[in-house]
Amino acid sequence: MDLKSLIRDIPDFPKPGILFRDITTLLRDPQGLRYTIDFFAQRCVEKEMIPDYIVGMESRGFIFGSPLAYKLGSGFIPARKKGKLPGAVHSIEYELEYGTDSLEVHQDALHPGSRVLIVDDLIATGGTAGATAKLVQKIGCDLVGFGFIIELRDLQGRKHLPDVPIISLIEY
């Protein structure tokens, strides 16, 4: 299946000069969504990236991470923006082009030695994915890799990630 044909390009969003890759058109297509999750799971199995837990980054990482965890027989852990989780959390702050942001996971969600796969819809500059990797490694988890639906190769996000396997289903 040609997944690129299910991704809509929106020019000048969220600001002039940006070409936004919109996944909502993929999500609304039942066959495309099923194929995406099945293909993602197949790639994980082929690369022997079977985690104990999938960590999905807020919020589109939740959309793909949860069904992927189901397919792989893994648990799912949401990495949330600051203040969104009710219990005690592990937290990491990271730099953005325009300031800082932070991500959190519950302290009882992951345990040292857990095998973790980090999943999001897209990798651009790698800042959020890299911060998530630092967070799970700070907890003492074994990072087995990253999985993305879309990779924007020109932004070189991979160079900001640890040296572990990376799956990207679509490249621009």
Side-chain angles (χ1 to χ4, degrees), residues 61-167:
F62 301 174
I63 295 169
F64 295 104
S66 295
L68 183 60
Y70 172 79
K71 289 284 288 186
L72 295 176
S74 305
F76 177 78
I77 309 298
R80 303 289 318 264
K81 300 288 184 181
K82 185 176 184 160
K84 300 289 186 179
L85 293 171
V89 296
H90 293 289
S91 181
I92 191 160
E93 190 170 287
Y94 60 101
E95 297 291 323
L96 299 169
E97 302 141 19
Y98 49 86
T100 62
D101 207 347
S102 63
L103 287 171
E104 300 176 337
V105 297
H106 276 129
Q107 285 184 3
D108 62 356
L110 295 168
H111 307 286
S114 298
R115 294 173 45 83
V116 172
L117 173 67
I118 296 172
V119 171
D120 205 359
D121 69 319
L122 179 137
I123 179 171
T125 62
T128 305
T132 306
K134 287 178 184 167
L135 179 60
V136 300
Q137 290 172 323
K138 181 173 91 171
I139 296 168
C141 297
D142 177 21
L143 181 60
V144 299
F146 294 90
F148 305 101
I149 304 303
I150 298 170
E151 181 174 359
L152 303 178
R153 296 288 289 199
D154 288 347
L155 297 179
Q156 301 178 21
R158 284 181 181 239
K159 73 179 184 181
H160 300 288
L161 302 180
D163 187 21
V164 295
I166 300 171
I167 293 170

